[in-house]
Amino acid sequence: MSGTFVGMPAFPAAAREAVGDATLRGNLRHATHTIRDKRARAVAELDDWAALREAGRRIKDHTLRHLDRYLVQVEEAVTAAGGTVHWAADADEANAIVARLVEETGEREVVKVKSMATQEIGLNEALEARGIHAYETDLAELIVQLGKDRPSHILVPAIHRNRGEIRDIFRSEMGAWGRPAPEGLTDTPAELAEAARLHLREKFLRARVGISGANFMVAETGTLVVVESEGNGRMCLTLPETLISVVGIEKIVPSWRDLEVFLQTLPRSSTAERMNPYTSMWTGTTDEDGPRTFHLVLLDNGRTDTLADEVGRQALRCIRCSACLNVCPVYERAGGHAYGSVYPGPIGAILSPQLRGMGSEIDASLPFASSLCGACYEVCPVAIDIPEVLVHLRERVVQGGPAVREGNRVVLRPAKGHAAERAAMRAAGWAFARPGALRAGQRLASRSRRLHPRSLPGPGRAWSDGRDLPAVPAEPFRDWWQRTHGGRDEAE
């Protein structure tokens, strides 16, 4: 199944179907409320949280401004430490590199650490097409893989599943992937976790190739960092003979001192913990410990194009904590699948259209998948102004489609499906620039209000199907003010 879910319906259609699933809404409501309440308590313990947030923002912005220099520094440091660096311009190139590296080992199985980057490029499917089986080892990712499902959350990919559903998946699917579920497996968390542990342990001990992403790369030493809560990452990063890490180019931090900031903000924002349970760091290879061969695949896949947008580039600050998903009223009701991307929720609504472009119906709809309440910005540990970027991307969708080159010029193709909206905005601009026309229009609307329809016609129906049109007052405000105050300001 594709990690980018291209071909799914646009967000409004997918969300409409999702909100009709009462079980899904219940699972999401319980999980997101629990996580965000715990996060709020963990963040409140730090008196300097605002300063840490600002430090994280500045570090990320500085790194993005000088990304070319830091990427070269990472390559030099990793190479000096015994690793090999590969550059991938897009998903196809990255998948080809990883598949070739696995085939060169002679192995047909790999174990994986949870990785958004490999989901983004559809690595599992690409490897499967070449006869290589990739086994997810994170518990939630295992549930998703066994259930032939898609991730629904950045931190908790199986957030849309309850315990009973997980038990049924383990009972019916584990045997086809390896060690079967124990007889009489119940839905108690301890039994489910033990079933997963026994199933995965034999894969850890057998695998010779591991694949990971990375939460951070430290430029000054070439060190990669993975933070996780279960210990499966530690097993994947240390036991195999060959380790391949696919990492987005934006994951760099300049120094160890910079890393200190994020190791405080990430666990509190994601899992509401003071310190991450497992923080694995490695620099190249050694003869006495860990994998004997290390490959780093630096992934662009739209990041350079995103960096060129002065407003949209702040999405590249994201450290994948998922705090924005847990406070978003839209995500809570629609779930992650409706976004058609491995990056759901508010961050996905601004990141996916920039990485993939807005040429598809679903990507053009994602910037509108928000109420602009601003809760996502308030909780973001690197101060990404998601509402600002959403409005910016909406403007791009309405005013023009994808950028294309015509001769020596780059132009925007006309956007599809927004002609009525552009016409309405032009009409409103004309009226607001002419007070007499505006006054006449208001009086006409008030006098004919009994004839007004309850829903909008044509394309506007998508808006009014879920909302009541505001009632037009019997008297325009200007007329009321003239009648009651004679047009004078009471302060005079």
Side-chain angles (χ1 to χ4, degrees):
M1 184 171 292
S2 172
T4 50
F5 318 149
V6 172
M8 284 188 62
F11 182 84
R16 187 178 299 113
E17 179 180 352
V19 297
D21 187 334
T23 300
L24 173 67
R25 293 202 317 273
N27 294 345
L28 290 168
R29 182 172 57 252
H30 172 74
T32 56
H33 283 229
T34 299
I35 296 172
R36 76 188 190 196
D37 290 345
K38 289 175 62 180
R39 177 202 173 275
R41 291 193 295 270
V43 167
E45 294 177 353
L46 293 182
D47 295 333
D48 61 346
W49 178 260
L52 285 169
R53 184 175 188 245
E54 177 63 13
R57 182 190 69 80
R58 292 190 178 192
I59 291 167
K60 281 290 188 177
D61 282 349
H62 166 81
T63 307
L64 292 173
R65 282 196 301 270
H66 304 283
L67 191 58
D68 54 346
R69 172 161 58 89
Y70 287 120
L71 283 170
V72 172
Q73 187 177 3
V74 163
E75 181 182 33
E76 292 173 347
V78 169
T79 303
T84 303
V85 177
H86 309 263
W87 299 81
D90 54 28
D92 290 341
E93 188 172 359
N95 289 334
I97 291 170
V98 175
R100 174 176 58 80
L101 294 174
V102 175
E103 289 171 345
E104 288 175 354
T105 68
E107 297 294 321
R108 311 307 293 176
E109 293 183 345
V110 300
V111 289
K112 290 184 69 229
V113 187
K114 180 179 181 294
S115 164
M116 303 296 293
T118 60
Q119 291 173 4
E120 174 189 327
I121 63 177
L123 178 62
N124 287 10
E125 293 76 20
L127 292 178
E128 188 70 27
R130 294 174 67 157
I132 301 169
H133 300 287
Y135 297 112
E136 298 289 349
T137 63
D138 174 85
L139 176 57
E141 291 287 357
L142 174 67
I143 294 166
V144 169
Q145 186 175 50
L146 292 179
K148 302 177 180 63
D149 202 350
R150 298 187 302 269
S152 181
H153 192 276
I154 288 177
L155 179 68
V156 194
I159 195 173
H160 56 291
R161 297 289 193 182
N162 59 38
R163 294 185 304 179
E165 292 173 315
I166 295 169
R167 175 204 57 210
D168 294 341
I169 290 172
F170 280 8
R171 284 177 173 177
S172 62
E173 302 296 334
M174 266 188 172
W177 289 76
R179 179 167 179 158
E183 291 290 334
L185 178 67
T186 71
D187 65 355
T188 60
E191 288 195 30
L192 294 174
E194 178 66 7
R197 188 188 72 82
L198 293 173
H199 177 82
L200 291 171
R201 183 55 59 98
E202 65 177 27
K203 290 183 167 54
F204 289 136
L205 297 177
R206 185 176 68 236
R208 295 292 179 265
V209 180
I211 295 178
S212 81
N215 295 94
F216 307 100
M217 295 184 290
V218 183
E220 66 180 357
T221 59
T223 301
L224 274 70
V225 183
V226 164
V227 297
E228 40 103 10
S229 301
E230 301 170 17
N232 64 294
R234 183 70 54 83
M235 302 285 274
C236 289
L237 296 169
T238 57
L239 292 179
E241 296 176 357
T242 299
L243 174 61
I244 305 168
S245 298
V246 182
V247 187
I249 58 175
E250 82 282 13
K251 292 300 186 71
I252 295 177
V253 295
S255 68
W256 283 90
R257 184 176 182 181
D258 299 321
L259 180 63
E260 175 189 355
V261 172
F262 300 108
L263 291 184
Q264 294 182 75
T265 56
L266 178 56
R268 290 179 186 268
S269 284
S270 57
T271 56
E273 295 169 299
R274 298 181 181 93
M275 180 182 294
N276 205 69
Y278 293 90
T279 301
S280 300
M281 304 180 183
W282 68 100
T283 307
T285 62
T286 67
D287 294 332
E288 300 175 355
D289 186 29
R292 299 175 184 174
T293 305
F294 170 58
H295 296 274
L296 170 62
V297 181
L298 291 171
L299 176 68
D300 188 326
N301 204 38
R303 286 158 175 80
T304 299
D305 293 336
T306 303
L307 188 62
D309 188 322
E310 293 184 1
V311 177
R313 72 174 57 156
Q314 58 184 298
L316 296 178
R317 292 186 209 145
C318 178
I319 58 175
R320 311 291 192 263
C321 71
S322 77
C324 62
L325 280 69
N326 300 324
V327 298
C328 178
V330 176
Y331 174 84
E332 181 184 321
R333 289 157 179 80
H337 291 162
Y339 293 82
S341 168
V342 298
Y343 303 112
I347 187 61
I350 66 171
L351 187 59
S352 298
Q354 295 191 86
L355 294 181
R356 302 193 307 212
M358 290 184 283
S360 69
E361 185 180 7
I362 188 165
D363 287 310
S365 72
L366 287 178
F368 299 88
S370 170
S371 65
L372 299 180
C373 67
C376 50
Y377 170 66
E378 295 299 325
V379 300
C380 178
V382 287
I384 301 172
D385 194 340
I386 294 178
E388 178 188 33
V389 182
L390 285 168
V391 172
H392 170 67
L393 294 179
R394 290 179 185 186
E395 182 180 7
R396 283 178 51 185
V397 171
V398 172
Q399 292 186 349
V404 296
R405 181 169 294 279
E406 292 184 359
N408 295 323
R409 297 186 307 146
V410 176
V411 299
L412 291 176
R413 286 177 178 166
K416 297 179 180 179
H418 293 277
E421 183 174 351
R422 290 197 299 274
M425 290 298 103
R426 285 195 294 268
W430 183 90
F432 283 123
R434 295 164 176 79
L438 179 62
R439 186 179 296 110
Q442 289 174 331
R443 288 173 177 171
L444 178 62
S446 293
R447 291 169 184 171
S448 62
R449 63 195 188 100
R450 293 183 179 179
L451 303 177
H452 293 179
R454 295 190 176 185
S455 62
L456 295 173
R461 190 175 185 86
W463 188 91
S464 59
D465 278 349
R467 304 170 176 85
D468 292 330
L469 286 177
V472 176
E475 182 180 24
F477 174 80
R478 289 168 179 261
D479 291 355
W480 172 85
W481 186 263
Q482 184 69 34
R483 178 173 57 81
T484 58
H485 294 76
R488 297 188 305 274
D489 192 328
E490 289 185 334
E492 295 179 354

